Amino acid sequence: MQKSTLAELAVGARATIEQVTGERRLAVRLMELGLVPSTLVRLERKAPLGDPIELSIRGYDLSIRREEAEKIFVSRVDAASEEAP
């Protein structure tokens, strides 16, 4: 597993959320949206200029800004060890 930010993932990549950082207000808001540690997330698509990005998480799609995604640290999930959603 490789650690990186959510913004660094390629389209179609899956990862497990490790940590949500940033200002407390922003971190709480992101966690209220379901972006909490140990959650599996998939990057579905990026806008042409990279902002916003669309995620698939907990059975729904969520769009967040690239700036917000840079505050979320993840561990990439290898295709071989990946569980079916």
Side-chain angles (χ1 to χ4, degrees):
M1 283 188 232
Q2 240 181 0
K3 284 196 177 185
S4 60
T5 67
L6 198 52
E8 296 170 335
L9 291 180
V11 173
R14 292 180 187 232
T16 302
I17 296 173
E18 296 291 329
Q19 182 180 19
V20 180
T21 63
E23 292 181 23
R24 179 171 169 76
R25 188 171 136 185
L26 173 62
V28 168
R29 182 178 148 282
L30 292 172
M31 288 190 280
E32 287 174 344
L33 292 171
L35 297 164
V36 295
S38 301
T39 302
L40 183 65
V41 62
R42 176 184 163 105
L43 196 137
E44 294 293 334
R45 69 190 74 156
K46 292 182 181 181
L49 297 177
D51 195 22
I53 63 172
E54 183 180 330
L55 312 169
S56 178
I57 181 170
R58 299 180 181 254
Y60 71 96
D61 293 333
L62 173 67
S63 292
I64 62 173
R65 294 180 180 137
R66 180 178 173 84
E67 181 180 316
E68 295 167 338
E70 290 171 349
K71 309 268 192 254
I72 302 168
F73 289 88
V74 297
S75 293
R76 295 178 190 183
V77 176
D78 295 333
S81 65
E82 191 174 302
E83 295 181 21

